[in-house]
Amino acid sequence: MSLIAIQPDQLPTPADESWKYTDLPKAMRKLPANLKRADIEEENILVFKKGEEQKQPKEITFIGLDNHEHINQLKIVLEAGAQVTIIERHVGVGAYWKNRVTDIEIGKGAVLNHIRIQNDSQAAVNTNISHIKTARDAVYKGFSLNIGAALSRHEIHADIEGENAEVTFNGVNLLNANQHGDTTIVINHKAPHCASNQFYRTLLDDNARGVFQGKICVAQVAQKTDGYQLANTLLLSPNAEMDTKPELEIYADDVKCSHGTTTGQLDEAPLFYLRQRGLSESQARTLLIQSFVGEVIDKISHEQIRDEIQALTDSWLHKALQK
């Protein structure tokens, strides 16, 4: 596999249907001209042997350097029956571009918990294209916190190739100022008796813009598919914008698939209810918004990481609601 996810001289534009809401060339023009290529092209390969069970999470951190382009590849292979939790962190200083590709292969009966915390510099660009393949009875449980970068795009292509496999993509996006965050997911059901779940919650403040594109494709052979997709957004500012594009493409006749999306401001009815019970407007608003994102965060099974993500979320909310 090539280490380059996106060719620098062939940047996708909004003329490409899947990039219609995200102008990468415009974002790149805000970075320093002639970004330096990082000295080392990072290729991280993690292989977990048949039946291997990792008791402690495996952590990997990608650091961005000012005025640099980072070409990274992360390859994760779980052989049959392996079980592991991987925590992927993104941080950095200054203006840079992380141009990344992730390749994940999950063998028969293997289980991967994959937690991604994207907290890059507010001047950075982060593009990450992920390819995931699951064998029979395999399970992929993904969670993504998107809180950093001037522009980020997390693009996922998941191929469910073995019967009774399951993939889950949960995420929380917290964007403010002029941030742009794009989550694009395509799930291809290629085998019967499989399930996929997508559950994302987004908070947008100031002039931030969010994008969620989720597509479930069900092949004719993939009977008894169970596909679920839900994306909800709260606008904390009248200048924030959310673009959503849920899709179902179904060629099988015995499936259970659904998708839904909502975008709007905080519901005044529960806010009024809480204020009637003695909470101030600020307290009530904070409680409701915490609950909004908490429904997704609660799905993280690893307690320590769940607490860390909750703390990051609470800190972001405190700053947003104290304006």
Side-chain angles (χ1 to χ4, degrees):
M1 177 190 298
S2 171
L3 284 178
I4 301 178
I6 296 175
Q7 297 289 345
D9 59 346
Q10 298 178 10
L11 297 178
T13 74
D16 301 314
E17 179 63 24
S18 67
W19 285 79
K20 65 186 295 184
Y21 303 117
T22 298
D23 193 337
L24 181 59
K26 180 179 179 181
M28 295 298 294
R29 288 194 291 271
K30 297 180 181 179
L31 294 178
N34 301 316
L35 290 172
K36 299 176 183 176
R37 179 69 60 85
D39 292 337
I40 300 176
E41 294 182 353
E42 299 181 50
E43 184 176 11
N44 299 272
I45 302 177
L46 304 175
V47 179
F48 301 92
K49 299 297 184 182
K50 182 177 180 180
E52 180 178 354
E53 184 175 351
Q54 291 279 331
K55 299 296 184 182
Q56 297 298 322
K58 174 72 174 179
E59 296 207 20
I60 184 168
T61 301
F62 296 95
I63 302 174
L65 301 177
D66 188 35
N67 199 32
H68 279 73
E69 175 192 356
H70 297 272
I71 299 174
N72 311 116
Q73 180 190 36
L74 174 61
K75 185 176 180 65
I76 302 170
V77 178
L78 273 67
E79 296 181 356
Q83 297 186 41
V84 64
T85 295
I86 294 177
I87 301 168
E88 177 186 341
R89 300 180 185 274
H90 292 267
V91 295
V93 177
Y96 52 84
W97 179 25
K98 286 183 181 174
N99 182 13
R100 305 189 58 254
V101 60
T102 302
D103 184 27
I104 299 174
E105 298 177 10
I106 307 176
K108 181 180 178 180
V111 179
L112 173 59
N113 290 290
H114 185 194
I115 299 168
R116 183 175 180 271
I117 303 174
Q118 193 277 104
N119 197 10
D120 276 306
S121 160
Q122 298 290 304
V125 171
N126 183 317
T127 54
N128 185 188
I129 299 177
S130 297
H131 302 272
I132 302 169
K133 292 183 179 180
T134 59
R136 183 184 179 94
D137 299 317
V139 176
Y140 175 88
K141 297 179 180 179
F143 178 91
S144 180
L145 174 66
N146 179 24
I147 200 171
L151 180 142
S152 63
R153 172 156 167 132
H154 189 200
E155 180 177 329
I156 300 167
H157 299 267
D159 291 332
I160 304 177
E161 299 183 339
E163 289 190 40
N164 300 309
E166 179 181 348
V167 297
T168 299
F169 300 101
N170 297 324
V172 171
N173 302 302
L174 308 174
L175 306 174
N176 58 19
N178 293 301
Q179 284 183 284
H180 180 110
D182 181 335
T183 299
T184 295
I185 302 174
V186 179
I187 300 177
N188 295 304
H189 283 267
K190 298 181 176 182
H193 301 282
C194 295
S196 66
N197 294 277
Q198 302 171 58
F199 184 27
Y200 277 76
R201 290 276 168 89
T202 299
L203 296 179
L204 299 176
D205 200 8
D206 304 320
N207 298 301
R209 183 179 182 184
V211 177
F212 180 84
Q213 300 183 98
K215 185 174 184 179
I216 300 172
C217 301
V218 183
Q220 187 174 7
V221 70
Q223 303 294 336
K224 302 294 184 181
T225 287
D226 189 346
Y228 174 82
Q229 178 192 119
L230 180 63
N232 306 117
T233 301
L234 271 182
L235 303 177
L236 305 181
S237 162
N239 298 318
E241 178 181 340
M242 185 69 188
D243 297 295
T244 58
K245 186 184 177 185
E247 291 183 89
L248 298 175
E249 187 174 313
I250 301 172
Y251 298 99
D253 55 13
D254 187 4
V255 303
K256 183 170 67 174
C257 293
S258 66
H259 63 67
T261 178
T262 62
T263 299
Q265 297 178 330
L266 198 62
D267 191 343
E268 293 296 324
L271 188 63
F272 176 80
Y273 177 85
L274 291 175
R275 293 198 64 191
Q276 290 296 103
R277 277 144 185 80
L279 274 68
S280 69
E281 181 175 356
S282 176
Q283 289 173 326
R285 191 174 297 275
T286 299
L287 186 63
L288 290 172
I289 296 175
Q290 284 177 327
S291 176
F292 176 78
V293 295
E295 285 189 61
V296 188
I297 295 173
D298 285 346
K299 294 183 178 295
I300 301 173
S301 58
H302 192 281
E303 183 178 359
Q304 183 178 347
I305 299 303
R306 184 172 64 245
D307 291 344
E308 177 186 344
I309 289 175
Q310 186 65 63
L312 287 169
T313 301
D314 290 344
S315 176
W316 189 93
L317 277 176
H318 178 74
K319 293 176 182 178
L321 298 179
Q322 291 301 312
K323 293 178 181 179

